[in-house]
């Protein structure tokens, strides 16, 4: 109740302030004349003036409530579902408005954090979450939805309810649909427990995980309502290639598709110049055998299955994010096929979970257009990260480099710093190190850039912990102070050193 009172007070204050700002022009015009009149009058006492201002503030008109319904609903759409619903207690004027909000964001981040720490809470919180969504949907009167987001640790036990939620979203011609069902909010669900997307909802005549029939599917009852979809996100959702291809070929506005942790995605073809898809992300879909992307205008691609990737005629592709283990297999596969693709990239991100030493043994093609290069690697003991410099040398236009260190078992050693082959970098301006721990391997990388980056302007160091598993390596404040002591003597004054 206390939070509700605070919310009401803040909201009333916002109404008063905005009502004044609405007429700021008239207030400004009358200000000078009022000032002149005040100069002619006897000086009022401070107490009297304050009381008079207070009375005026209390009698100020609630101009926000006088706005049309559609404008008020638009304002409420910037709030969460719970916050928008709380405005119903302001007055009768506000009572029904939240029900027409076109953005239904059921993001339970706080509860996800509690479930991640105390897994026994999962079932109890899941029941509460399902009741909350069901109750809200029963009261919702919006005819169209800009956003429908479900973000909680849900699994097959909620299959029936989630099916109904999808029917509701599609019946409202949803534009952005997100099912983020990761375990604890961050881990892929075990395959046996994942929620399965209902293929029959699309008129497909088979379920996920079952053999496909040669029969042509019939159009679903909600056929026209699917066409408004622009963004699809499925995390820890079993979905087949046929379902994804249905959306690609039957929804003319789909621009973004994200799939994480689907155990039933085997083959996916993104083919055809008519597709509007700009961003595709296929991550940790372990059953994937083939990912074919041909003759499309896709702009960004992210996949952890690069060794299953077939790229051809993608002239608009400028950003690629690849990863996997072992990393050698990715390079062996992507290099022969993707050399022409790599030469057109502006952003390249590599997740080298098996280490960076393999990068030293490959001759990369000229990355003539590469502006940003990001490497994510496991921080094991004091493993060298100089292997990434081999790629940097192939990118003469590089402006920004970022190294992300995921901590497994980092440790500092007293070994001497290695030196990589000198390679002048004429355009690199920004170096960013995330997960900085102060190992010799990180110091030698900083020295490499100080020696080779001719126009380096800024070094950003983020020593905050980057965990693979839930355990603390060291408090962030200690790491921050250590980074400051270690690097301030290394970095010359003309280069800005930022320690987050």
């Amino acid at each position: 109740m206390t939070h509700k009172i605070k919310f009401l007070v803040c909201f009333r204050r916002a109404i008063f302030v905005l009502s004044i700002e609405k007429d700021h022009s008239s207030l400004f015009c009358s200000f000078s004349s009022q000032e002149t009149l005040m100069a002619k009058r006897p000086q009022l006492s401070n107490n009297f003036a304050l009381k008079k201002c207070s009375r005026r503030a209390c009698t100020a008109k609630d101009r926000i409530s006088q706005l049309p319904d559609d404008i008020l609903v638009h304002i409420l759409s910037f709030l969460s579902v719970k916050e928008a619903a709380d405005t119903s207690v302001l007055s009768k004027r506000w009572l029904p408005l939240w029900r027409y909000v076109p953005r239904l964001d059921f993001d339970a981040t706080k509860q996800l954090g509690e479930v991640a720490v105390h897994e026994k809470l999962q079932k109890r919180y899941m029941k509460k979450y399902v009741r909350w969504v069901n109750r809200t949907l029963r009261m919702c009167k919006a005819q169209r939805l800009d956003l429908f987001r479900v973000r909680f640790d849900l699994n097959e036990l909620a299959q029936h309810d989630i099916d109904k939620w999808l029917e509701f979203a599609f019946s409202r011609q949803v534009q952005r649909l997100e099912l983020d069902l990761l375990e604890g909010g961050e881990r892929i669900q075990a395959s046996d427990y994942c929620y399965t997307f209902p293929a029959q909802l699309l008129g497909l005549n088979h379920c996920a995980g079952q053999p496909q029939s040669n029969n042509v599917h019939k159009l679903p009852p909600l056929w026209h309502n699917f066409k408004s979809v622009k963004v699809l996100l499925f995390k820890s959702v079993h979905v087949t290639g046929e379902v994804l291809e249905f959306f690609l070929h039957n929804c003319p506005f789909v621009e973004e598709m994200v799939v994480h942790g689907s155990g039933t995605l085997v083959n996916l073809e993104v083919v055809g110049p008519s597709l509007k898809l700009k961003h595709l992300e296929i991550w940790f879909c372990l059953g994937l055998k083939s990912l074919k992307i041909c003759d499309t205008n896709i702009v960004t691609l992210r996949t952890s299955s690069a060794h299953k990737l077939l790229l051809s005629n993608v002239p608009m592709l400028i950003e690629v994010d690849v990863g996997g283990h072992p990393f050698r297999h990715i390079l062996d596969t992507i290099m022969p096929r993707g050399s022409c693709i790599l030469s057109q990239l502006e952003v390249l991100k590599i997740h080298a979970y098996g280490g960076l030493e393999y990068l030293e043994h490959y001759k990369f093609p000229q990355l003539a257009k590469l502006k940003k290069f990001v490497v994510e690697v496991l921080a094991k003991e004091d493993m060298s990260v100089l292997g990434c410099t081999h790629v940097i040398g192939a990118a003469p236009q590089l402006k920004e480099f970022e190294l992300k260190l995921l901590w497994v078992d980092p440790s500092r050693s007293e070994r001497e710093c290695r030196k990589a082959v000198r390679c002048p970098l004429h355009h690199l301006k920004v170096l960013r190190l995330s997960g900085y721990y102060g190992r010799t391997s990180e110091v030698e990388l900083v020295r490499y850039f100080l020696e080779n980056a001719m126009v380096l302007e800024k070094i950003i160091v983020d020593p905050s912990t980057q965990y693979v598993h839930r355990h603390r390596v060291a408090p962030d404040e200690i790491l921050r102070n250590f980074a400051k002591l270690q690097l301030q003597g290394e970095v010359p004054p003309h280069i800005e050193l930022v320690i987050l």
Side-chain angles (χ1 to χ4, degrees):
M1 190 66 184
T2 304
H3 294 295
K4 183 175 289 187
I5 293 174
K6 289 181 179 179
F7 173 79
L8 293 177
V9 171
C10 293
F11 199 89
R12 282 295 186 185
R13 286 176 180 173
I15 291 175
F16 173 65
V17 171
L18 289 175
S19 64
I20 293 177
E21 290 180 348
K22 181 176 175 66
D23 290 337
H24 72 282
S25 57
S26 59
L27 287 172
F28 179 78
C29 293
S30 62
F31 179 77
S32 57
S33 59
Q34 288 179 4
E35 192 175 35
T36 304
L37 290 173
M38 287 294 294
K40 296 180 180 179
R41 294 177 181 176
Q43 188 68 29
L44 297 174
S45 67
N46 289 338
N47 290 337
F48 181 79
L50 288 173
K51 289 179 180 179
K52 191 170 183 178
C53 289
S54 176
R55 288 197 298 271
R56 286 179 178 176
C58 292
T59 57
K61 292 184 179 180
D62 181 358
R63 297 184 184 275
I64 287 187
S65 294
Q66 296 175 7
L67 294 172
D69 286 358
D70 55 345
I71 295 180
L72 293 178
V73 170
H74 179 70
I75 293 173
L76 292 180
S77 68
F78 292 96
L79 303 176
S80 68
V81 173
K82 185 180 184 305
E83 290 170 341
D86 285 344
T87 62
S88 62
V89 300
L90 291 174
S91 67
K92 290 183 179 179
R93 174 75 176 88
W94 291 84
L95 183 62
L97 293 178
W98 73 272
R99 301 185 182 189
Y100 295 89
V101 172
R103 294 174 57 88
L104 296 181
D105 187 354
F106 298 101
D107 185 351
T109 302
K110 180 180 178 181
Q111 289 74 16
L112 282 171
E114 296 178 16
V115 170
V117 178
H118 305 287
E119 295 183 2
K120 293 182 179 179
L121 296 175
Q122 196 271 340
K123 288 186 178 180
R124 186 174 69 183
Y125 277 20
M126 183 176 73
K127 292 180 180 178
K128 288 184 177 180
Y129 184 90
V130 170
R131 285 199 299 268
W132 173 43
V133 177
N134 285 336
R135 184 170 60 251
T136 303
L137 296 189
R138 284 196 295 269
M139 292 186 285
C140 178
K141 294 184 179 181
Q143 297 303 308
R144 294 175 180 269
L145 290 179
D146 298 333
L147 168 70
F148 185 83
R149 175 185 290 132
V150 174
R151 187 168 189 267
F152 195 70
D153 185 348
L154 300 176
N155 52 40
E156 61 176 0
L157 297 177
Q159 179 78 42
H160 177 72
D161 290 289
I162 301 176
D163 287 352
K164 295 297 182 182
W165 300 346
L166 288 176
E167 290 182 18
F168 176 90
F170 286 126
S171 70
R172 265 63 175 184
Q173 300 180 15
V174 64
Q175 294 187 22
R176 186 180 186 98
L177 175 66
E178 298 186 16
L179 294 184
D180 188 347
L181 312 183
L182 294 178
E183 182 182 354
E186 61 180 20
R187 301 184 301 275
I188 299 295
Q189 296 273 6
S191 182
D192 294 341
Y193 296 97
C194 274
Y195 164 78
T196 300
F197 185 92
Q200 63 274 15
L201 186 63
L202 307 180
L204 303 177
N205 54 8
H206 74 283
C207 298
Q210 295 180 355
Q212 298 185 13
S213 170
N214 293 326
N215 298 328
V216 178
H217 63 76
K218 60 181 181 180
L219 295 179
L222 300 175
W223 163 245
H224 292 290
N225 294 342
F226 291 105
K227 292 189 174 184
S228 58
V229 175
K230 294 181 179 179
V231 178
L232 289 168
L233 181 144
F234 300 121
K235 294 186 176 181
S236 285
V237 175
H238 281 330
V239 61
T240 64
E242 187 179 6
V243 167
L244 298 179
E245 290 171 18
F246 173 90
F247 284 112
L248 288 174
H249 293 285
N250 295 287
C251 303
F253 304 111
V254 173
E255 295 184 351
E256 181 177 346
M257 181 176 288
V258 177
V259 182
H260 284 205
S262 172
T264 56
L265 182 58
V266 179
N267 299 297
L268 177 61
E269 292 190 2
V270 182
V271 179
S274 62
L275 300 184
K276 300 296 183 182
L277 190 69
K278 302 299 181 185
H279 174 77
L280 177 64
E281 187 170 328
I282 306 296
W283 205 255
F284 290 135
C285 297
L286 302 182
L288 187 67
K289 294 182 179 179
S290 173
L291 175 58
K292 182 179 180 181
I293 306 173
C294 299
D295 305 322
T296 70
N297 292 318
I298 189 171
V299 177
T300 63
L301 170 66
R302 185 170 190 254
T303 178
S304 59
S305 303
H307 55 295
K308 307 294 178 64
L309 178 64
L310 175 60
L311 281 173
S312 175
N313 191 23
V314 283
M316 304 300 292
L317 184 63
I318 60 172
E319 180 175 336
V320 169
D321 186 345
V322 295
H325 181 81
F327 194 62
R328 176 185 292 175
H329 291 175
I330 297 177
L331 292 175
D332 289 341
T333 304
I334 198 172
M335 290 305 299
R337 302 179 184 176
S339 57
C340 59
I341 304 297
L342 292 174
S343 63
Q344 71 187 47
L345 296 183
E346 295 181 12
V347 179
L348 176 60
K349 300 179 182 180
I350 295 178
H351 302 260
Y353 299 134
L356 292 174
E357 60 272 16
Y358 299 123
L359 290 177
E360 301 180 21
H361 307 296
Y362 284 85
K363 184 177 181 181
F364 280 81
Q366 189 78 354
L367 305 174
K369 297 183 180 180
L370 196 67
K371 302 294 191 303
K372 182 177 181 179
F373 181 40
V374 180
V375 175
E376 185 177 84
V377 63
L378 298 179
K380 296 180 180 179
E381 299 178 346
D382 195 10
M383 177 186 64
S384 176
V385 292
L386 285 178
C388 62
T389 62
H390 193 64
V391 185
I392 295 171
Q397 300 298 321
L398 192 67
K399 293 183 178 181
E400 181 178 351
F401 173 75
E402 180 178 357
L403 176 66
K404 294 183 177 181
L405 297 169
L406 299 180
W407 295 356
V408 177
D409 187 22
S411 61
R412 304 185 184 101
S413 66
E414 300 297 329
R415 68 175 178 84
E416 294 185 3
C417 287
R418 290 175 50 196
K419 283 193 174 184
V421 178
R422 287 186 63 86
C423 178
L425 305 171
H426 298 284
H427 300 279
L428 194 131
K429 295 182 178 181
V430 179
L431 168 64
R432 186 181 183 102
L433 301 175
S434 300
Y436 187 91
Y437 189 67
R439 303 174 303 159
T440 303
S441 57
E442 294 150 24
V443 175
E444 63 190 12
L445 185 67
V446 171
R447 290 180 178 176
Y448 169 84
F449 282 99
L450 291 176
E451 293 174 1
N452 292 278
M454 316 299 288
V455 293
L456 186 63
E457 297 177 354
K458 182 184 292 187
I459 298 178
I460 303 172
V461 177
D462 183 2
S464 60
T465 52
Q466 309 290 324
Y467 298 115
V468 174
H469 306 294
R470 287 185 174 274
H471 66 278
R472 295 194 64 80
V473 177
D476 291 349
E477 188 61 33
I478 293 178
L479 294 169
R480 193 175 294 110
N481 292 335
F482 187 82
K484 187 180 297 184
L485 290 172
Q486 194 174 42
L487 295 177
Q488 279 183 338
E490 297 278 347
V491 180
H494 70 277
I495 297 176
E496 182 181 3
L497 176 61
V498 180
I499 300 179
L500 301 177

